[in-house]
CSV table of all heavy atoms in Angstrom, one decimal:
chain,number,residue,atom,x,y,z
V,392,TRP,N,14.5,-42.2,4.9
V,392,TRP,CA,14.1,-42.9,6.2
V,392,TRP,C,15.0,-42.6,7.4
V,392,TRP,O,14.7,-43.1,8.5
V,392,TRP,CB,14.0,-44.4,6.1
V,392,TRP,CG,13.3,-45.0,4.9
V,392,TRP,CD1,13.8,-45.3,3.7
V,392,TRP,CD2,12.0,-45.5,4.9
V,392,TRP,NE1,12.9,-45.9,2.9
V,392,TRP,CE2,11.7,-46.0,3.6
V,392,TRP,CE3,10.9,-45.5,5.8
V,392,TRP,CZ2,10.5,-46.6,3.2
V,392,TRP,CZ3,9.7,-46.1,5.4
V,392,TRP,CH2,9.6,-46.6,4.1
V,450,SER,N,26.4,-50.7,6.4
V,450,SER,CA,25.3,-50.2,5.7
V,450,SER,C,24.2,-51.3,5.8
V,450,SER,O,24.4,-52.4,6.2
V,450,SER,CB,25.6,-49.9,4.3
V,450,SER,OG,25.8,-51.1,3.6
V,451,GLY,N,23.0,-50.9,5.4
V,451,GLY,CA,21.9,-51.8,5.4
V,451,GLY,C,22.2,-53.0,4.5
V,451,GLY,O,21.9,-54.2,4.9
V,452,SER,N,22.7,-52.8,3.4
V,452,SER,CA,23.0,-53.9,2.4
V,452,SER,C,23.9,-54.9,3.1
V,452,SER,O,23.7,-56.1,3.0
V,452,SER,CB,23.6,-53.4,1.1
V,452,SER,OG,22.7,-52.5,0.5
V,455,VAL,N,22.2,-57.0,5.6
V,455,VAL,CA,21.4,-58.1,5.0
V,455,VAL,C,22.3,-59.2,4.5
V,455,VAL,O,22.1,-60.4,4.7
V,455,VAL,CB,20.5,-57.6,3.8
V,455,VAL,CG1,19.9,-58.7,3.0
V,455,VAL,CG2,19.5,-56.7,4.4
V,484,TYR,N,12.6,-55.1,-1.1
V,484,TYR,CA,13.9,-54.4,-1.4
V,484,TYR,C,14.8,-54.6,-0.2
V,484,TYR,O,14.4,-54.3,1.0
V,484,TYR,CB,13.7,-52.9,-1.6
V,484,TYR,CG,15.0,-52.3,-1.8
V,484,TYR,CD1,15.7,-52.4,-3.0
V,484,TYR,CD2,15.6,-51.6,-0.8
V,484,TYR,CE1,17.0,-51.8,-3.2
V,484,TYR,CE2,16.9,-51.0,-0.9
V,484,TYR,CZ,17.6,-51.1,-2.1
V,484,TYR,OH,18.8,-50.6,-2.3
V,485,TYR,N,16.0,-55.2,-0.4
V,485,TYR,CA,16.9,-55.5,0.7
V,485,TYR,C,18.3,-54.9,0.5
V,485,TYR,O,19.2,-55.2,1.3
V,485,TYR,CB,17.0,-57.0,0.9
V,485,TYR,CG,15.6,-57.7,1.1
V,485,TYR,CD1,14.9,-58.2,0.0
V,485,TYR,CD2,15.0,-57.7,2.3
V,485,TYR,CE1,13.7,-58.8,0.1
V,485,TYR,CE2,13.8,-58.2,2.5
V,485,TYR,CZ,13.1,-58.8,1.4
V,485,TYR,OH,11.8,-59.3,1.6
V,486,GLY,N,18.5,-54.1,-0.5
V,486,GLY,CA,19.8,-53.5,-0.7
V,486,GLY,C,20.3,-53.8,-2.1
V,486,GLY,O,19.7,-54.6,-2.9
V,551,GLU,N,10.5,-58.0,4.8
V,551,GLU,CA,10.3,-56.7,5.5
V,551,GLU,C,9.0,-56.8,6.2
V,551,GLU,O,8.0,-56.9,5.6
V,551,GLU,CB,10.3,-55.6,4.5
V,551,GLU,CG,11.5,-55.4,3.6
V,551,GLU,CD,11.2,-54.7,2.3
V,551,GLU,OE1,10.8,-55.4,1.4
V,551,GLU,OE2,11.3,-53.5,2.2
V,585,ASP,N,13.9,-57.9,8.0
V,585,ASP,CA,14.6,-56.7,7.6
V,585,ASP,C,13.8,-55.5,8.1
V,585,ASP,O,12.8,-55.1,7.5
V,585,ASP,CB,14.8,-56.7,6.1
V,585,ASP,CG,15.5,-55.4,5.6
V,585,ASP,OD1,15.7,-54.5,6.4
V,585,ASP,OD2,15.9,-55.4,4.4
V,587,ILE,N,15.2,-52.5,8.4
V,587,ILE,CA,16.1,-51.4,8.1
V,587,ILE,C,15.3,-50.1,7.8
V,587,ILE,O,15.6,-49.0,8.3
V,587,ILE,CB,17.0,-51.7,6.9
V,587,ILE,CG1,18.0,-52.8,7.4
V,587,ILE,CG2,17.8,-50.5,6.4
V,587,ILE,CD1,18.8,-53.5,6.3
V,588,ALA,N,14.1,-50.2,7.1
V,588,ALA,CA,13.3,-49.1,6.9
V,588,ALA,C,12.3,-48.9,8.0
V,588,ALA,O,11.9,-47.8,8.4
V,588,ALA,CB,12.6,-49.2,5.5
V,614,LYS,N,19.5,-47.5,8.6
V,614,LYS,CA,18.8,-46.2,8.3
V,614,LYS,C,18.7,-45.3,9.6
V,614,LYS,O,19.7,-44.6,9.9
V,614,LYS,CB,17.5,-46.5,7.6
V,614,LYS,CG,17.8,-47.1,6.2
V,614,LYS,CD,16.7,-46.8,5.2
V,614,LYS,CE,17.1,-46.9,3.8
V,614,LYS,NZ,16.7,-48.1,3.1
S,973,PLP,C1,17.5,-49.1,2.5
S,973,PLP,C2,17.2,-50.5,2.7
S,973,PLP,C3,18.2,-51.5,2.7
S,973,PLP,C4,19.7,-51.2,2.3
S,973,PLP,O1,20.3,-50.3,3.1
S,973,PLP,P1,21.6,-49.5,2.6
S,973,PLP,O2,22.0,-48.7,3.8
S,973,PLP,O3,21.0,-48.6,1.5
S,973,PLP,O4,22.6,-50.4,2.1
S,973,PLP,C5,17.9,-52.8,3.0
S,973,PLP,N1,16.6,-53.1,3.4
S,973,PLP,C6,15.7,-52.2,3.4
S,973,PLP,C7,14.3,-52.6,3.9
S,973,PLP,C8,15.9,-50.9,3.1
S,973,PLP,O5,14.9,-50.0,3.2
Side-chain angles (χ1 to χ4, degrees):
W392 312 86
S450 72
S452 300
V455 170
Y484 178 77
Y485 305 95
E551 297 155 277
D585 179 346
I587 292 167
K614 291 207 161 107

